[in-house]
Amino acid sequence: MSALAAFFRVRPVVLTLSAAVLLPLAASATAAAAEPAARTAPAQGQAAQGQAGQAARTGQAAQGRVLKEDAVLTTGQGGVVKVRETIVYRFAGEKGFERTFPTRVHESLTEDRVYRLSNLRASSPDGGPAQVASSSEDTRTTVEVTGGQELTGDHTVVLEYDLRGAITRMGQIEEMRWPVIGGWKVPVDEARATVDAGAAISSVNCFTGPIGSTIGCTQYYMNHTHTQGVYAQQGMLPGEYVTVVAGLPAGTTGGQPIYERRHTLATAFAVNTVTGSALVALLILLVGGVAALYLLRGRDARVVVKKAAEGDHAPVAGSEFEPPDGVRPGQIGTLIDEQADVIDVTATIVDLAVRGYLLIEEEDRAVTGRLDWTLRKLERPVADLLPYERILLDALLTAPDGSAREAVKLSELGGTFATKLAQVRSAMYDDVVKQGWFARRPDTVRSRWTLAGIVLTVLGIGGTIALALTTEWALAGLAVIIAGAALAYGGQYMPAKTARGSTVLAHTIGFRAFLERGVLPDEDETASRQRIALFSRFLPYAVVFDAVGKWAETVKDAGERAEGADNLYWYEGPAEWDLSKFAESMRTFTLATSGSISQSRGM
């Protein structure tokens, strides 16, 4: 233990002697090492300068940066804030710089808060860039300061502008808030701002980072008189801002936020004076259209109700138990609904058979395995046929190769008759005009009105799109679309009958009621064969009126009352067929005929 204690007593002395010996040695070693470093430093500096010059010559110079930016904001009456920024910028071959201000904020779906920059100007005391220009896009305004040549080194630029919309009334204070420094594409080493209110400032605040950041600045405070707010931030990354906030007594500036209505899909269809007027005009147009339809169609109704007996033309011969004198089933069908339907053509085929131009033979399904009919030509002069009847008869008895045929099966017409059907229907429209029942072809009138409505609708769609993209009047375009659609739809009702056409229609309505009752006049005194003849004569009209079932009741039992009356002179059924089955046979025949003659050939 005494030896160990002696060692610890001796150790300080030993350490002291060691330090005295070693320190001079270390100092001389350091000096020896520093001497070659000192000799090589000038060479390294010259090499670095040469590399920098080479980089500058090859366009690889370092990016510029803001060494310091000092902004002064002076509030004034009307809410105008005059801003003066003193910028020390280190250029590295650029001709100028640019920075971005957030000048529009989407406050709601349809409204923006706007900050307006005006009276932009720039100057430089040391030859820096001094030409200033601005451009706005979406929510930001970019200010560009440029000069006439590429610059290097440090230059000072003074940027000044007037700011409106940065002051908001909040209770008993006016709050001035503006991201005065930032929006650079380069780093900022030091930023400083001063708000000069000219009045007592109640509070200050400062935020740094992206817009909306809640990170506080390096430093912010009020001066000793509380008339200035001072804000400072050390080190900012590209794209960051310093947002300064100062609370002023109410009424200091009288400034108010600036709001603008933002153009969106919601605002494009807003109700305003223009669009409201367009909607009222649309209502008037629709009401006027109804009135016009009444004037055109209402005349038909007045003639039917009041002038059927007297008419403003000579009365149509015949009673309510007979069709209008000389009026064919196809003509009546076209007159009633103003359309030459397929059923009107089918009724005309039945009428041609009843009048002796065709014989309809129903095939025996038990023998052929399918339900079909043969239309057989009968020798009869065609001089008394109307043009559309002659076209129809020729179409039925002409083969696809153009040769005449004596008979044709109904099933053979499928897929080959559609083109000829269009010719027959066109001739039927010509006929009702020739009869004086319409001033113009109903199909042409419908087509013109419908085409006009479609064109108006297309124009309305194009106008609505254009208005929605550029204005708040898109509702006016929508009104045009509705008007066009209404016109296209209403065009179906635009054909109007003449007074004579309405008189014929009045007689036709009474005749239709008679057929739908299915009861012959003086039925007990009418012989079965006479009943069959009368039934046959009126049957084509029953086809048009869709009253075959009721009308067939008049001859259902004719075969029981008169021997040999189980067949019609123009319609032959299969074996074991009688008139009691005729209603079903005729219903099936009309359906099959309508389907066959209108069927288009498949590809």
Side-chain angles (χ1 to χ4, degrees):
M1 292 296 294
S2 59
L4 186 59
F7 174 78
F8 280 105
R9 285 194 298 269
V10 174
R11 187 177 64 175
V13 178
V14 175
L15 292 176
T16 301
L17 292 173
S18 298
V21 175
L22 292 176
L23 283 174
L25 292 176
S28 58
T30 302
E35 183 177 358
R39 289 195 300 268
T40 60
Q44 291 176 346
Q46 293 173 359
Q49 290 177 359
Q51 292 175 356
Q54 179 66 24
R57 287 191 296 272
T58 58
Q60 298 176 351
Q63 187 181 22
R65 66 189 304 115
V66 178
L67 299 181
K68 182 178 181 180
E69 180 174 355
D70 194 343
V72 177
L73 299 88
T74 305
T75 61
Q77 289 300 311
V80 178
V81 180
K82 295 186 177 296
V83 183
R84 177 185 175 91
E85 300 180 18
T86 302
I87 304 163
V88 179
Y89 195 97
R90 176 164 292 173
F91 290 90
E94 306 97 335
K95 290 185 178 182
F97 56 75
E98 66 178 40
R99 56 170 302 197
T100 303
F101 295 88
T103 53
R104 184 177 292 269
V105 178
H106 298 327
E107 290 285 323
S108 66
L109 183 63
T110 61
E111 193 173 54
D112 289 346
R113 180 169 180 176
V114 179
Y115 301 86
R116 292 177 179 165
L117 305 183
S118 61
N119 200 20
L120 274 166
R121 54 201 183 276
S123 60
S124 176
D126 55 12
Q131 299 176 6
V132 63
S134 65
S135 61
S136 297
E137 182 179 359
D138 194 18
T139 61
R140 298 183 180 274
T141 296
T142 299
V143 174
E144 185 175 9
V145 180
T146 58
Q149 60 184 357
E150 295 180 353
L151 300 172
T152 57
D154 301 345
H155 291 275
T156 300
V157 176
V158 178
L159 178 65
E160 298 177 85
Y161 59 88
D162 295 342
L163 170 66
R164 290 174 173 83
I167 295 180
T168 307
R169 177 69 181 270
M170 303 179 65
Q172 297 302 313
I173 66 170
E174 293 180 353
E175 181 184 85
M176 197 283 297
R177 178 186 293 258
W178 179 239
V180 64
I181 299 175
W184 293 95
K185 294 183 178 180
V186 298
V188 178
D189 292 345
E190 181 180 352
R192 179 182 174 88
T194 302
V195 174
D196 189 353
I201 296 177
S202 59
S203 62
V204 293
N205 210 337
C206 182
F207 305 98
T208 186
I211 295 297
S213 171
T214 57
I215 300 174
C217 298
T218 303
Q219 186 180 31
Y220 52 95
Y221 57 89
M222 291 180 286
N223 67 350
H224 67 284
T225 61
H226 285 207
T227 58
Q228 289 185 341
V230 181
Y231 314 82
Q233 175 64 32
Q234 298 294 323
M236 295 171 56
L237 296 176
E240 292 186 336
Y241 290 86
V242 169
T243 301
V244 299
V245 183
L248 313 177
T252 301
T253 68
Q256 295 288 341
I258 302 173
Y259 292 101
E260 287 184 358
R261 192 171 179 85
R262 185 167 77 256
H263 184 71
T264 63
L265 190 61
T267 59
F269 290 91
V271 177
N272 51 43
T273 303
V274 175
T275 56
S277 300
L279 291 177
V280 172
L282 172 63
L283 180 61
I284 295 174
L285 177 64
L286 294 178
V287 172
V290 172
L293 286 175
Y294 173 77
L295 292 176
L296 293 172
R297 301 278 302 194
R299 178 174 173 79
D300 299 345
R302 291 195 301 275
V303 171
V304 169
V305 174
K306 298 180 180 179
K307 299 186 179 181
E310 53 183 304
D312 44 9
H313 288 265
V316 178
S319 67
E320 66 171 345
F321 306 114
E322 296 180 356
D325 188 25
V327 179
R328 307 288 167 77
Q331 293 175 317
I332 284 182
T334 306
L335 175 68
I336 289 176
D337 59 4
E338 301 162 353
Q339 297 192 55
D341 297 318
V342 175
I343 193 64
D344 301 332
V345 180
T346 300
T348 301
I349 293 176
V350 176
D351 186 50
L352 290 174
V354 171
R355 289 158 56 196
Y357 293 92
L358 292 172
L359 176 64
I360 302 175
E361 299 175 348
E362 181 180 340
E363 295 186 358
D364 192 342
R365 179 185 287 185
V367 177
T368 62
R370 63 176 183 176
L371 189 61
D372 204 354
W373 289 263
T374 298
L375 306 179
R376 191 173 303 281
K377 178 182 178 181
L378 299 178
E379 294 301 329
R380 183 181 175 92
V382 296
D384 62 339
L385 290 180
L386 296 173
Y388 77 87
E389 293 175 323
R390 190 177 296 112
I391 293 173
L392 176 60
L393 187 61
D394 290 343
L396 291 172
L397 299 176
T398 301
D401 60 1
S403 61
R405 54 188 175 190
E406 295 299 316
V408 60
K409 291 184 181 297
L410 195 61
S411 58
E412 295 175 356
L413 297 177
T416 64
F417 200 78
T419 302
K420 298 175 181 178
L421 174 64
Q423 298 173 358
V424 174
R425 296 176 65 184
S426 179
M428 295 176 75
Y429 284 123
D430 289 334
D431 179 78
V432 293
V433 174
K434 183 178 179 181
Q435 297 297 327
W437 300 342
F438 293 91
R440 299 175 183 83
R441 286 179 46 142
D443 62 327
T444 302
V445 173
R446 278 192 299 270
S447 297
R448 288 176 179 175
W449 282 96
T450 301
L451 179 60
I454 292 174
V455 170
L456 186 61
T457 301
V458 172
L459 291 176
I461 292 173
T464 300
I465 294 174
L467 291 172
L469 293 176
T470 58
T471 70
E472 297 182 359
W473 302 342
L475 206 58
L478 188 60
V480 176
I481 294 176
I482 297 173
L487 187 62
Y489 177 78
Q492 305 301 312
Y493 302 93
M494 293 309 291
K497 302 175 186 65
T498 62
R500 177 166 178 76
S502 298
T503 304
V504 174
L505 177 63
H507 189 123
T508 299
I509 291 175
F511 178 56
R512 178 173 62 182
F514 162 68
L515 293 180
E516 290 175 345
R517 287 196 297 269
V519 178
L520 289 173
D522 301 326
E523 181 178 357
D524 294 337
E525 300 177 5
T526 304
S528 293
R529 289 187 179 277
Q530 293 175 329
R531 291 170 58 202
I532 292 174
L534 186 62
F535 165 80
S536 298
R537 178 188 170 194
F538 292 166
L539 179 63
Y541 301 94
V543 172
V544 170
F545 298 139
D546 193 23
V548 173
K550 293 291 293 183
W551 184 240
E553 295 291 328
T554 61
V555 294
K556 185 175 182 179
D557 60 348
E560 300 174 1
R561 298 191 181 188
E563 184 178 354
D566 279 349
N567 274 309
L568 303 174
Y569 65 89
W570 57 273
Y571 190 98
E572 290 186 0
E576 307 301 327
W577 184 89
D578 57 43
L579 290 178
S580 65
K581 302 182 179 66
F582 181 77
E584 179 61 24
S585 293
M586 183 52 58
R587 186 188 68 83
T588 309
F589 172 77
T590 54
L591 290 175
T593 302
S594 298
S596 295
I597 66 178
S598 61
Q599 178 183 358
S600 299
R601 183 184 297 276
M603 297 298 292

